[in-house]
Amino acid sequence: AQSVTQLGSHVSVSEGALVLLRCNYSSSVPPYLFWYVQYPNQGLQLLLKYTSAATLVKGINGFEAEFKKSETSFHLTKPSAHMSDAAEYFCAVSLGSQGNLIFGKGTKLSVKP
Amino acid sequence: GAVVSQHPSRVICKSGTSVKIECRSLDFQATTMFWYRQFPKQSLMLMATSNEGSKATYEQGVEKDKFLINHASLTLSTLTVTSAHPEDSSFYICSARAPSVLWAESSYNEQFFGPGTRLTVL
């Protein structure tokens, strides 16, 4: 069975600082991995996805994530935080094209001026 | 990108009434749609998966007689919360997935999410 663990329910950084949101997964087969962002009272927007191509994935808004099979991780990073990055971030895993998405519990990112 | 809409965005109803939420894929045909429920400050929990023209598949613990799902066309799925009670108050989000043949490899398996519906049952 697949599962996703997001370390840290709340991360706070200063504007301009590095953003690091952690995600570890468990999967018995090569996974598809996703990061979504959710702003208050809105749906989910896809930031980036890993689908067995390049291990370093670049997404929208300057975010990127690296798939590390040996560490079963897919951490999300951004070199310099912006106030507009404040939101809830969800990591998700699915088993291939037909699998449902399994979401982590989410990490709330706060950005201080 | 693909757009999914939900209507209404917010609904307040009295206990005992039924509420219908619509999910539409605006610029693509969705063979599969998903309904999620999100409690405050929690993650999304999959409620059910619906395929056009067939019965929905409900996740364990979700009452199919209470949460009626209809996927009558390739662009519309509806979720009806029957005899709603305060504990049904939540944020309901739908997503839609298009047939893989329509997408390039990079879009494989991608679900497109609606903006959500906030249900408050008094």
Side-chain angles (χ1 to χ4, degrees):
Chain A
Q2 318 122 276
S3 65
V4 174
T5 302
Q6 289 184 242
L7 295 176
S9 60
H10 191 187
V11 171
S12 181
V13 301
S14 298
E15 190 173 19
L18 171 71
V19 176
L20 171 61
L21 304 182
R22 300 178 185 273
C23 173
N24 288 87
Y25 70 92
S26 172
S27 177
S28 56
V29 297
Y32 283 51
L33 294 161
F34 307 81
W35 274 100
Y36 288 89
V37 61
Q38 184 182 34
Y39 297 98
N41 294 310
Q42 294 187 30
L44 273 66
Q45 181 182 8
L46 181 68
L47 278 177
L48 49 80
K49 58 184 179 289
Y50 167 76
T51 56
S52 74
T55 57
L56 182 61
V57 182
K58 293 187 182 298
I60 62 172
N61 302 339
F63 285 93
E64 62 181 39
E66 186 172 7
F67 172 69
K68 292 186 176 181
K69 183 178 179 180
S70 61
E71 299 178 8
T72 61
S73 68
F74 191 57
H75 302 330
L76 181 71
T77 60
K78 181 174 180 178
S80 176
H82 193 272
M83 296 296 291
S84 61
D85 294 327
E88 188 90 21
Y89 292 80
F90 292 95
C91 182
V93 63
S94 77
L95 280 181
S97 63
Q98 299 303 315
N100 294 333
L101 287 172
I102 306 298
F103 287 91
K105 293 187 176 182
T107 297
K108 182 177 181 179
L109 175 66
S110 299
V111 182
K112 299 174 291 186
Chain B
V3 179
V4 175
S5 69
Q6 278 184 245
H7 178 79
S9 59
R10 184 181 296 268
V11 58
I12 301 173
C13 68
K14 293 181 179 180
S15 184
T17 59
S18 293
V19 175
K20 180 184 284 188
I21 303 170
E22 292 185 349
C23 177
R24 293 182 184 274
S25 56
L26 299 184
D27 50 5
F28 67 100
Q29 293 184 325
T31 52
T32 304
M33 287 186 169
F34 303 84
W35 286 96
Y36 297 85
R37 184 173 180 177
Q38 186 180 28
F39 289 104
K41 300 183 179 181
Q42 294 190 30
S43 189
L44 280 73
M45 299 301 296
L46 180 65
M47 298 175 66
T49 303
S50 74
N51 292 296
E52 186 266 338
S54 62
K55 291 184 177 181
T57 301
Y58 290 81
E59 295 299 303
Q60 191 173 9
V62 178
E63 299 175 61
K64 60 182 179 182
D65 294 330
K66 181 169 187 60
F67 298 99
L68 301 179
I69 292 173
N70 184 279
H71 193 162
S73 77
L74 287 172
T75 59
L76 173 65
S77 177
T78 60
L79 167 67
T80 301
V81 183
T82 62
S83 186
H85 288 89
E87 58 267 28
D88 299 323
S89 298
S90 190
F91 194 54
Y92 292 88
I93 303 175
C94 74
S95 70
R97 185 169 69 196
S100 59
V101 294
L102 296 180
W103 302 96
E105 174 61 30
S106 62
S107 298
Y108 208 42
N109 196 48
E110 184 169 344
Q111 291 183 29
F112 300 95
F113 286 82
T117 296
R118 173 76 59 193
L119 171 63
T120 302
V121 185
L122 303 177

